[in-house]
């Protein structure tokens, strides 16, 4: 669940107005609702275990690039599972179809395991620490960032520091 609204402002600076997006790991829809509140259009929200009736049950990893493109979305935006075997599959599968914004731990980009995926990485937008447990003001111990992935290429990765 991405209920901490501090997650979104850094991303909004990098999205064009009225972007159409697919939220494949929607949970109860916090992210989709926040993006829509800022003028963006959720084409579809899905989750393997949806937590609200308007979110469709779907395994995002079962979608082909053609199916993803056929949604009519411009981009994919989600807070995926941070489990590396799932995250890495999502990076490839999603960015083969559409530009993909993923919110996860910022340290990942500095690890050896990230190396095969760096040709897909276009932007890293620092967010900082977020609150992941509702009802508390305690933040997690990991700094997070938005990571923009696209088809593999030689374009340099742009890094954006945390805004004041």
């Amino acid at each position: 669940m991405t209920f901490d609204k501090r997650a979104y402002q850094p991303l909004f600076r990098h999205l064009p107005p009225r972007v159409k997006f697919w939220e494949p790991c929607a949970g109860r829809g916090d992210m989709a609702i926040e993006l829509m509140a800022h003028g963006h259009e959720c084409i579809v929200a899905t989750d393997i275990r949806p937590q609200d009736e308007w979110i469709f049950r779907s395994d995002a990893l079962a979608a082909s690039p053609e199916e993803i493109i056929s949604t009519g979305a411009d981009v994919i935006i989600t807070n995926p599972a941070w489990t590396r075997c799932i995250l890495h599959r999502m990076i490839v599968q999603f960015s083969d179809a559409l530009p993909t914004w993923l919110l996860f731990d910022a340290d990942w980009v500095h690890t050896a395991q990230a190396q095969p995926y760096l040709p897909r990485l276009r932007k890293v937008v620092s967010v900082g620490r977020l609150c992941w447990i509702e009802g508390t003001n305690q933040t997690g111990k990991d700094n997070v960032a938005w990571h923009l992935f696209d088809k593999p290429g030689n374009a340099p990765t742009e890094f954006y520091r945390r805004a004041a």
Side-chain angles (χ1 to χ4, degrees):
M1 292 187 296
T2 316
F3 62 86
D4 189 335
K5 294 188 186 300
R6 294 175 296 175
Y8 302 105
Q9 204 54 46
L11 175 64
F12 291 148
R13 294 182 185 102
H14 296 272
L15 294 178
R18 296 177 298 282
V19 72
K20 295 177 183 176
F21 67 96
W22 171 35
E23 214 297 36
C25 306
R28 67 180 189 193
D30 293 324
M31 182 174 292
I33 290 167
E34 187 67 20
L35 289 164
M36 289 186 295
H38 283 82
H40 302 292
E41 183 180 350
C42 182
I43 297 299
V44 65
T46 62
D47 199 285
I48 198 163
R49 289 183 205 94
Q51 298 172 29
D52 203 312
E53 61 189 25
W54 65 276
I55 298 166
F56 294 95
R57 180 179 304 278
S58 178
D59 180 353
L61 289 172
S64 71
E66 294 77 24
E67 290 170 324
I68 295 169
I69 292 167
S70 74
T71 66
D74 301 318
V75 298
I76 295 168
I77 304 173
T78 197
N79 175 11
W82 292 11
T83 305
R84 297 316 191 209
C85 64
I86 296 171
L87 174 66
H88 293 160
R89 284 181 58 204
M90 286 184 172
I91 290 169
V92 172
Q93 185 168 338
F94 294 168
S95 67
D96 275 349
L98 293 173
T100 301
W101 284 100
L102 302 177
L103 178 68
F104 61 93
D105 57 299
D107 287 341
W108 172 86
V109 74
H110 304 288
T111 65
Q113 66 181 320
Q115 294 301 310
Y117 308 97
L118 295 182
R120 296 173 179 271
L121 185 60
R122 300 295 177 266
K123 291 184 182 181
V124 177
V125 180
S126 182
V127 174
R129 293 183 180 179
L130 297 175
C131 181
W132 298 105
I133 302 171
E134 282 188 294
T136 179
N137 60 359
Q138 300 297 312
T139 61
K141 296 183 187 242
D142 293 312
N143 287 300
V144 299
W146 286 102
H147 301 79
L148 174 62
F149 295 94
D150 209 340
K151 291 178 178 65
N154 294 323
T157 301
E158 298 174 14
F159 287 83
Y160 295 86
R161 66 185 174 98
R162 186 171 172 202

